[in-house]
Amino acid sequence: MALRFYNTLSQQVENFTPLDGKTVRMYTCGPTVWNYVHIGNLRTFTSQDILRRWLQYRGYQMMHVMNITDVDDRIIQQSAAAGKSIYEYTAEYEKAFFEDASKVRLQRPEKICRATEHIEDMVRLIQTLEKQGFTYSSEGSIYFRISSFPEYGKLAHLHFEGLKAGARVDSDKYDKDNARDFVLWKARKEGEHFWETPLGPGRPGWHIECSAMAMRYLGETLDIHAGGVDLIFPHHENEVAQSEAATGKPFARFWIHTEHLMVESQTMSKSAGNFYTLRDLFDRGFSPESVRYLLAQVPYRKQLNFTLEGLKAAATAIERLRNYELRLKTTKFAEGKNVKIEERTAQALKSFEEAMDDDLNTAEALGATFEYVRETNTAMDTGEFLAGNVPAALDFLAKFDSIFAVLEPSTVDQTISLAEIEALIAERTQAKKARNFQRADEIRQRLLEHGIVVEDTKEGVRWKRK
RNA sequence: GGCGCCGUAGCCAAGUGGUAAGGCAGAGGUCUGCAAAACCUUUAUUCGGCGGUUCGAAUCCGCCCGGCGCCUCCA
């Protein structure tokens, strides 16, 4: 079966191929850098990371653009409260975002772009819309007239015909013809950051940045546009309207949206305030890999219930995979190659790939992986697994990790050197030979304090980092 | 009111017409000086409830119950 994704636009799973057959041009809505990102944000970014990793696995080149929203109402408000310029204020959170992103092993998009550095692109796009009659001005602000774009609502599948203008929204405080019209350019307000432009002094509306930057770097029609489900309306809907009104071409072929997560079965939102940041979880002793694993294990289109118990389970599951990898790398298997096991390895890889091709079914992909691990562990116990089977097994594991990226431990104790570890282990082996188990256990305990676990196997001692 | 999603073992979760993957936790066992690791056995005759369609349904249809989302800033 071909690679396929659920497309919000069609509400169906569709086969995916990039327009030019080679390079996937993808735009994702990045963070608004007004605060630390929380795990809800990270779920979306992690699912997009899995998406881009899988596209690359399938042989495509990536041209992935992610924006940084560094000017909006909250930023203006918060920076003013902190007595900083918006640039000073957002620099701190942008830096924190990239630190967090790298902790959970998000690949860096090919292009990162800041809204404040693309004001000219936005102005030009607004001018194009003005010339074509899609806009109107009111008190220095410029609005998009949704009644001029008949397909408005096609992404979010909302139908507005029956609704009276202003029926649901308090339109008094806006100088809009229709309450659902949205602002492209906001007139300057006293004390607020503004740009002097041909449109007059002011700042961009929220939606225009994504259209302007996406089209600037990716052209008028993107292969994929992704974000969290809450962005479908109005953000993405408005992007569709303004972009397609300007170009007359489809803005994005695939719209891929990640479901929200819940925390301990409660809804989570910035406004509700019940959210964890990555830093909170590190403080509780959880590793970045555990967070990544937990976020990645539930398919992106399903709500994920984030719990601390789930994080512990994730940590244990990762341990199991690491132990398996260690066993593959350290065991002296009998010579030869078991054909049945080679076939089983190929089959496991195929199951893994088919699961990922199927709209990124990570749960199924993990199932295929663990099933294989259990079966080959058994084969190792019975001696059926031979030295010649190791390369293919390691290859499968490497492929798994090229997507999930959890096998490499991220915390390494630097207070003890390799030489010291080896020396202590040698001493312990001697102590054991002399049946001085007290000394042997003492050494094992001491190493454990450095996060090193010593294991006695049939073939001798081996150690690993916890 | 409109649109959409979900409800599978203690927890997480796959499976969308052919007789319940996987992970974690629990119990027992093998191995071990003790551990660790690994393996084995065990844990849902059943998939929110009630009807219907079918040779056959967790999977399709109807109704009901429960949870969530969007229609307003939000990943």
Side-chain angles (χ1 to χ4, degrees), chain A residues 62-171:
Chain A
M62 289 305 297
M63 179 53 199
H64 173 190
V65 176
M66 184 182 78
N67 70 305
I68 300 284
T69 299
D70 58 352
V71 55
D72 86 328
D73 292 347
R74 289 168 300 186
I75 288 169
I76 287 171
Q77 192 190 328
Q78 297 290 316
S79 60
K84 293 178 179 172
S85 74
I86 60 168
Y87 299 105
E88 280 178 280
Y89 182 80
T90 56
E92 181 188 341
Y93 291 109
E94 183 182 312
K95 181 165 171 278
F97 167 71
F98 284 114
E99 283 168 10
D100 288 350
S102 121
K103 289 265 191 208
V104 294
R105 304 174 184 185
L106 304 185
Q107 289 184 344
R108 198 173 171 96
E110 281 65 31
K111 177 74 192 173
I112 307 274
C113 49
R114 298 188 188 89
T116 56
E117 291 169 4
H118 295 78
I119 302 296
E120 277 180 38
D121 294 296
M122 299 184 221
V123 168
R124 269 198 297 278
L125 181 56
I126 294 169
Q127 286 174 323
T128 302
L129 291 168
E130 276 187 320
K131 271 182 217 134
Q132 297 175 253
F134 290 103
T135 70
Y136 59 92
S137 301
S138 175
E139 301 188 0
S141 291
I142 301 169
Y143 299 91
F144 185 93
R145 191 191 307 279
I146 64 163
S147 61
S148 66
F149 188 74
E151 293 179 294
Y152 192 78
K154 70 175 177 180
L155 176 67
H157 304 283
L158 294 171
H159 308 288
F160 300 109
E161 302 83 47
L163 283 171
K164 282 178 251 156
R168 297 284 309 276
V169 182
D170 175 14
S171 55

Side-chain angles (χ1 to χ4, degrees), chain A residues 32-271:
Chain A
T32 300
V33 283
W34 71 296
N35 209 330
Y36 295 112
V37 291
H38 60 244
I39 48 170
N41 297 309
L42 285 171
R43 192 220 178 164
T44 298
F45 297 137
T46 301
S47 72
Q48 290 161 354
D49 183 64
I50 300 278
L51 168 61
R52 57 165 289 143
R53 283 169 183 264
W54 189 248
L55 287 165
Q56 290 172 97
Y57 185 100
R58 279 315 194 193
Y60 297 119
Q61 295 287 115
M62 289 305 297
M63 179 53 199
H64 173 190
V65 176
M66 184 182 78
N67 70 305
I68 300 284
T69 299
D70 58 352
V71 55
D72 86 328
D73 292 347
R74 289 168 300 186
I75 288 169
I76 287 171
Q77 192 190 328
Q78 297 290 316
S79 60
K84 293 178 179 172
S85 74
I86 60 168
Y87 299 105
E88 280 178 280
Y89 182 80
T90 56
E92 181 188 341
Y93 291 109
E94 183 182 312
K95 181 165 171 278
F97 167 71
F98 284 114
E99 283 168 10
D100 288 350
S102 121
K103 289 265 191 208
V104 294
R105 304 174 184 185
L106 304 185
Q107 289 184 344
R108 198 173 171 96
E110 281 65 31
K111 177 74 192 173
I112 307 274
C113 49
R114 298 188 188 89
T116 56
E117 291 169 4
H118 295 78
I119 302 296
E120 277 180 38
D121 294 296
M122 299 184 221
V123 168
R124 269 198 297 278
L125 181 56
I126 294 169
Q127 286 174 323
T128 302
L129 291 168
E130 276 187 320
K131 271 182 217 134
Q132 297 175 253
F134 290 103
T135 70
Y136 59 92
S137 301
S138 175
E139 301 188 0
S141 291
I142 301 169
Y143 299 91
F144 185 93
R145 191 191 307 279
I146 64 163
S147 61
S148 66
F149 188 74
E151 293 179 294
Y152 192 78
K154 70 175 177 180
L155 176 67
H157 304 283
L158 294 171
H159 308 288
F160 300 109
E161 302 83 47
L163 283 171
K164 282 178 251 156
R168 297 284 309 276
V169 182
D170 175 14
S171 55
D172 295 340
K173 59 182 178 182
Y174 304 107
D175 301 302
K176 294 194 277 190
D177 291 359
N178 180 314
R180 292 182 188 279
D181 288 344
F182 58 93
V183 68
L184 296 163
W185 187 256
K186 293 185 174 187
R188 177 191 178 186
K189 268 197 215 150
E190 199 48 45
E192 283 189 357
H193 193 93
F194 71 98
W195 283 264
E196 201 62 68
T197 74
L199 301 172
R203 62 185 171 97
W206 173 33
H207 315 297
I208 197 72
E209 66 173 90
C210 290
S211 291
M213 293 191 285
M215 291 198 279
R216 156 127 192 206
Y217 296 109
L218 298 171
E220 294 178 337
T221 299
L222 325 178
D223 287 310
I224 296 175
H225 192 134
V229 286
D230 54 308
L231 295 184
I232 296 171
F233 194 91
H235 185 51
H236 289 338
E237 189 69 54
N238 290 349
E239 282 186 50
V240 169
Q242 67 202 178
S243 305
E244 299 191 356
T247 67
K249 293 175 186 158
F251 180 44
R253 300 169 57 229
F254 280 75
W255 288 88
I256 297 180
H257 291 101
T258 304
E259 250 302 344
H260 278 331
L261 62 66
M262 317 273 284
V263 175
E264 308 284 351
S265 301
Q266 300 284 308
T267 56
M268 156 165 165
S269 69
K270 280 184 180 173
S271 55

